[in-house]
Amino acid sequence: MSAKDAQSLETICVHAGVVPDPQHGAIMTPIFQTSTYVQPAPGQPLTYDYSRGGNPTRAALETSLAALERAKHAISFASGLAAEQAIMQALEPGARIIVSEDVYGGSGRLFRKLFARYGFQFDFLDLRDLNAVAAAIDSKTKLIWVETPTNPLLRIVDIAGICALAKKAGAKVVVDNTFTSPIFQQPLTLGADIVVHSTTKYIGGHSDLIGGALMTNDDELAEKLRFVQFAGGAVNSPFECFMLLRSIKTLALRMERHNSNALAFARALEDSGDFASVIYPGLESHPQHALARQQMSGYAGVVSVYMRRDMEGVTRFFKNLRLLALAESLGGVESLVNHPEQMTHASVPPDLRQKLGINAQLVRFSIGIENVNDLIADVRQALQR
Ligand SMILES: *Cc1c(COP(=O)(O)O)cnc(C)c1O
C-alpha cells in the first residue's frame, strides 16, 4: 500500500513521505546532511544539484506535509514567517491585501513594517463580518489573509464564506492553519488557495525547532512559491526536516490529547467562577461555537481567560504557577502560559490592542499533553497562594 492510498489522517501521519531507504532498508528517512550532489555528467544531476533547491530529507517532509493538508504541493520553509514572506514575494507590488485585524503579531509586523514599504496596501478588518469584507474588496484586492481561530482571542472566521467572496472578486485566500494543525481543520477542502503553517507549533510539537510550510493545490502558484524559495533561500536544514518527520508521526495522537485536555481545562476554569471569562471555541459559551463545530473537527490546545486582577495580581499568578511555564509560543507537549499584552502581542499598535481587548487581564494558555488534573490543580493553587 502506498501512503497516498491511506485515507485517514492518523495513517498519513505515520506513513506519508517515508519510504524505506533503497540502499539499506532504513525505515526512517536518513538525514541527508549535504550541500551538493555528485553529477555523472555536466548539467545532468541524478535528482538534486544543490540543497537550497532540493534535498531528499526535505522532499520526504514535503510529501508528508502535502498529504496532511490533502494538498498537491507542500513547500517546507525555515520558519512560519519565511513561508509568509514567500507568499508576499510571489505577489505583484502594489496589491491590496485584506488581513484579519487580530492576525498573529509577527505577521502583522511583517505586513506593517516590511511589506507596506514595497507599495502593498493592507486593510486590517474583523473577518467575522462578511459584509465588511464584501464592502472592502475592490479590483486591486489580490489576497485575503485569514487566521482562524485567531490569536489570542480565538475568534472564528467562516473560511468557506470568505472563499466565496474572494472567488467572486478573483482574489486568492490564504489561511494560517497553525492554531489547529491539519488534524482539526483543512482549509483547502473549504476553498482556500494556500495554507500556511508555523511548523514550530503543533506540527513540530516539542518546542525544539523553528519551521514553516505552505500547501496548495494550484500548480502555477506552487511553481511561483518554489521559485521564491529557491531564489531567496529560506529553507530549513535536513536535520530539522528529519525532526519534523519524526514529530508528524505522533501529530494525530498529540492533537487528540491537546484537544481533550484543553476542553477539560477550559470547562474547569469556567465552572470555578474564578475568571471574568474563559474563551475556548469548544465551549458552548463561545459565541461562535456553532461555526467552530461546522468547520473544525477539534479545537486544539489554546485557551484564553480574562482575570479579575490588576497587572500586579496577574504577575503574582504567573509567579505562583509551578507546572505551567511563562513563555511565548504554543503547541508543544508542555503547557505554557503567556501574557499577550506584554509578550506575544507587544508589537501590535496600542490602539488596536485596546480595541481588540488585549489588556493586562488577558492571559493565554497553551495546554500540553500532561494529566489535565495536574494543570487545573496548578492554576487553583496559584490563585489561592
Ligand atoms: C508562530 C506563528 C507564526 C510564525 O511562525 P514562526 O515559525 O515563528 O516564524 C505565524 N502564524 C501563527 C499563527 C503563529 O502562531
Side-chain angles (χ1 to χ4, degrees):
M1 186 186 72
S2 86
K4 269 217 171 103
D5 301 324
Q7 289 304 303
S8 60
L9 284 169
E10 293 86 343
T11 307
I12 287 173
C13 283
V14 176
H15 292 287
V18 180
V19 288
D21 148 53
Q23 198 178 357
H24 302 293
I27 196 157
M28 282 302 297
T29 305
I31 304 170
F32 284 92
Q33 193 71 39
T34 190
S35 60
T36 190
Y37 305 81
V38 175
Q39 305 190 14
Q44 291 173 30
L46 292 173
T47 312
Y48 304 101
D49 55 11
Y50 190 63
S51 278
R52 174 161 29 77
N55 175 281
T57 316
R58 196 162 86 235
L61 171 62
E62 289 175 342
T63 304
S64 170
L65 290 168
L68 282 171
E69 282 287 0
R70 315 256 184 215
K72 248 171 109 177
H73 309 278
I75 312 173
S76 172
F77 282 83
S79 70
L81 284 172
E84 296 187 13
Q85 180 159 2
I87 297 173
M88 294 304 303
Q89 288 172 330
L91 292 173
E92 295 304 317
R96 265 187 77 183
I97 297 143
I98 293 176
V99 185
S100 271
E101 64 181 357
D102 51 349
V103 71
Y104 171 72
S107 310
R109 182 173 51 218
L110 181 76
F111 300 149
R112 289 187 179 93
K113 298 258 165 83
L114 195 58
F115 281 97
R117 290 169 43 216
Y118 294 86
F120 292 98
Q121 233 183 299
F122 298 95
D123 304 300
F124 289 91
L125 294 178
D126 180 348
L127 300 191
R128 290 175 302 181
D129 183 352
L130 292 181
N131 292 327
V133 176
I137 294 178
D138 72 9
S139 61
K140 281 176 69 193
T141 305
K142 297 294 177 221
L143 206 63
I144 305 183
W145 194 287
V146 177
E147 205 174 297
T148 179
T150 63
N151 174 18
L153 294 163
L154 306 171
R155 294 169 170 183
I156 307 296
V157 175
D158 178 355
I159 297 173
I162 294 280
C163 291
L165 291 175
K167 194 161 252 170
K168 263 198 280 178
K172 305 262 189 215
V173 174
V174 174
V175 177
D176 185 333
N177 207 23
T178 301
F179 260 51
T180 57
S181 90
I183 303 300
F184 292 142
Q185 179 170 274
Q186 303 205 310
L188 297 179
T189 66
L190 297 170
D193 299 282
I194 305 175
V195 165
V196 56
H197 278 282
S198 167
T199 55
T200 311
K201 314 293 166 56
Y202 286 112
I203 294 178
H206 296 72
S207 310
D208 54 8
L209 60 84
I210 301 281
L214 297 179
M215 292 82 157
T216 181
N217 287 319
D218 182 328
D219 297 340
E220 198 185 315
L221 208 48
E223 197 178 321
K224 262 192 203 167
L225 293 166
R226 262 199 198 283
F227 177 76
V228 169
Q229 184 185 52
F230 175 64
V235 297
N236 41 6
S237 73
F239 178 69
E240 278 171 328
C241 294
F242 172 84
M243 298 272 280
L244 281 161
L245 276 168
R246 192 183 205 276
S247 291
I248 288 168
K249 288 182 184 285
T250 57
L251 179 62
L253 264 181
R254 285 186 283 112
M255 293 314 295
E256 217 172 276
R257 177 62 87 93
H258 282 296
N259 188 56
S260 61
N261 269 3
L263 185 58
F265 182 85
R267 284 212 172 113
L269 266 51
E270 189 171 59
D271 292 347
S272 74
D274 289 335
F275 296 88
S277 66
V278 177
I279 309 168
Y280 183 65
L283 289 175
E284 291 73 14
S285 61
H286 189 288
Q288 295 171 288
H289 178 61
L291 175 59
R293 279 183 60 163
Q294 189 184 311
Q295 70 182 18
M296 304 160 78
S297 56
Y299 312 99
V302 178
V303 177
S304 292
V305 299
Y306 282 105
M307 299 197 71
R308 296 186 211 275
R309 292 175 167 209
D310 60 10
M311 191 58 218
E312 203 182 311
V314 172
T315 305
R316 211 166 345 105
F317 172 69
F318 289 138
K319 283 219 168 86
N320 287 346
L321 287 167
R322 290 175 174 144
L323 191 53
L324 286 144
L326 181 65
E328 305 210 356
S329 199
L330 60 110
V333 289
E334 64 287 296
S335 296
L336 302 177
V337 63
N338 163 57
H339 192 259
E341 186 193 49
Q342 304 277 331
M343 296 167 66
T344 46
H345 290 68
S347 69
V348 175
D351 51 333
L352 180 58
R353 256 195 337 242
Q354 196 183 356
K355 179 185 169 214
L356 293 172
I358 300 173
N359 58 25
Q361 281 68 44
L362 182 68
V363 169
R364 186 191 80 187
F365 297 95
S366 171
I367 300 302
I369 65 169
E370 302 96 333
N371 185 305
V372 70
N373 294 326
D374 294 339
L375 301 173
I376 296 165
D378 192 32
V379 168
R380 219 164 259 156
Q381 67 79 25
L383 286 174
Q384 280 161 7
R385 268 208 290 152

